[in-house]
Amino acid sequence: MTTSHSVHDPVRDPWRSGFARLCVGLALLAVSFSTAAADYTLAVVPQASPAETYRRWAPFAEHVQRATGQPLHVRVYRTFDEFETDLVNGLVDFAYMNPYHFLMARKAQGYLPLVRDGSRQLTGLLLVHRDSPLKSIKDLEGKTIAFPDPNAFIASLYMRALLQEKAKIRFTARYLGTHANVYRHIILGNVAAGAGASLTFAREHPETRAQLRVLYETPGTAPLPLCAHPRVPAALREAVTRAVLEMDKSEDGRALLKRTDLIQPVRASYARDYQPLEKLELQKYAVQTQLGVR
């Protein structure tokens, strides 16, 4: 008794063989696209050096990745210009940005706020050397003041607007790239005063803070939000939000949050937290470049 087998001969049936190869190829291509789509980026505003920024944010991203099951890669920047260009062009999936950056990114790409720190408001600080003879804002008339970047929100845009519109003083602005650079140039006596943020000043070394004196503090605003591009699936946006909120429930999680300044995370709202800032018309003080708004 013999058994009959159906044997396919690719030489005799080239169409079926080619079609099979095409199906396999398309399947592999789909897997490739699926894998690529599962990798997400987290951009961080360059308030500190790239190395320091990565040191603070990489453990946070790893924790969120474990909680959500989605790869999350930290992207750091040397300059505000590079960071802002990526936001305007929608090249990053998640981003921790200052409030002005958020308004800019929301207008350009529709970025959505997820969480922010709920423990305190963000304020700008105008600092001088502890031994400086300057006693008030009026004493800065005609002086050189250092700022991190033209479009750093609380430490530059907001501060310059208040100095010019409220205090009515004239000064020379010097931009030094990061908050840390501003603090060090004040200590070295290279500038009469410098502006920073309450959050970045609080995490400076005690010896650095001891050499500086607060001359003026701005009114408070909502802190920096962690945002997502609208192309990120709603389910993943919610998963990331929940992962960050859950971090506040463990000692290890709170340690990670403290390093990123999301000390007591709460859900962020455009209407409640950031829409009121649009009345300040800070775009009047923003710097334009060939890349767009800086």
Side-chain angles (χ1 to χ4, degrees):
M1 180 176 180
T2 62
T3 303
S4 175
H5 296 279
S6 177
V7 179
H8 170 63
D9 184 349
V11 175
R12 293 166 55 188
D13 194 353
W15 184 88
R16 291 180 62 184
S17 177
F19 181 76
R21 288 196 299 271
L22 177 62
C23 289
V24 171
L26 290 174
L28 291 174
L29 186 61
V31 170
S32 175
F33 278 124
S34 175
T35 301
D39 283 32
Y40 292 87
T41 51
L42 168 59
V44 181
V45 60
Q47 293 178 322
S49 69
E52 176 67 11
T53 300
Y54 188 82
R55 185 184 72 81
R56 290 180 177 277
W57 282 89
F60 172 91
E62 290 171 4
H63 182 97
V64 173
Q65 177 174 312
R66 289 194 300 270
T68 62
Q70 294 288 349
L72 186 61
H73 307 290
V74 175
R75 184 175 293 181
V76 297
Y77 298 83
R78 293 182 301 105
T79 68
F80 274 72
D81 188 60
E82 295 170 345
F83 176 73
E84 292 161 7
T85 300
D86 277 7
L87 286 182
V88 169
N89 291 319
L91 300 181
V92 291
D93 303 303
F94 296 93
Y96 178 72
M97 61 185 85
N98 73 41
Y100 178 72
H101 285 149
F102 166 62
L103 294 178
M104 177 179 68
R106 181 180 182 275
K107 182 178 181 180
Q109 292 286 334
Y111 276 90
L112 303 164
L114 303 181
V115 295
R116 62 169 176 83
D117 176 32
S119 68
R120 53 189 171 179
Q121 287 192 308
L122 179 67
T123 62
L125 303 177
L126 193 60
L127 301 150
V128 296
H129 193 281
R130 65 183 179 188
D131 298 326
S132 171
L134 304 178
K135 301 299 181 183
S136 72
I137 292 179
K138 293 296 184 181
D139 295 334
L140 290 170
E141 176 69 31
K143 300 289 195 300
T144 298
I145 303 176
F147 301 91
D149 183 89
N151 290 353
F153 168 62
I154 202 74
S156 187
L157 282 171
Y158 195 24
M159 184 68 77
R160 286 186 287 119
L162 290 171
L163 291 177
Q164 295 179 50
E165 301 292 340
K166 183 178 179 180
K168 305 293 184 182
I169 66 170
R170 294 170 298 176
F171 57 89
T172 299
R174 185 175 177 186
Y175 302 108
L176 299 175
T178 68
H179 293 232
N181 285 346
V182 169
Y183 304 144
R184 281 147 186 75
H185 275 257
I186 301 170
I187 293 171
L188 292 172
N190 296 334
V191 292
S198 53
L199 296 180
T200 63
F201 185 62
R203 66 172 179 243
E204 280 291 329
H205 195 279
E207 291 182 0
T208 298
R209 297 200 306 270
Q211 297 182 71
L212 299 170
R213 172 166 53 88
V214 177
L215 190 69
Y216 171 74
E217 185 170 8
T218 71
T221 68
L224 286 70
L226 176 66
C227 304
H229 194 282
R231 69 169 166 268
V232 176
L236 180 56
R237 297 199 302 266
E238 178 61 21
V240 169
T241 299
R242 287 183 176 276
V244 176
L245 296 176
E246 287 292 319
M247 291 170 71
D248 195 33
K249 298 180 180 180
S250 71
E251 185 175 344
D252 289 344
R254 286 191 291 271
L256 295 177
L257 290 170
K258 185 177 181 180
R259 296 170 69 173
T260 63
D261 289 326
L262 289 168
I263 299 174
Q264 292 178 10
V266 296
R267 290 180 183 270
S269 163
Y270 160 68
R272 180 193 65 219
D273 300 327
Y274 304 106
Q275 188 176 26
L277 297 175
E278 294 181 345
K279 298 178 182 178
L280 298 175
E281 297 184 345
L282 294 175
Q283 65 272 14
K284 295 189 301 184
Y285 297 90
V287 172
Q288 305 282 338
T289 71
Q290 68 275 16
L291 297 174
V293 178
R294 285 193 59 223

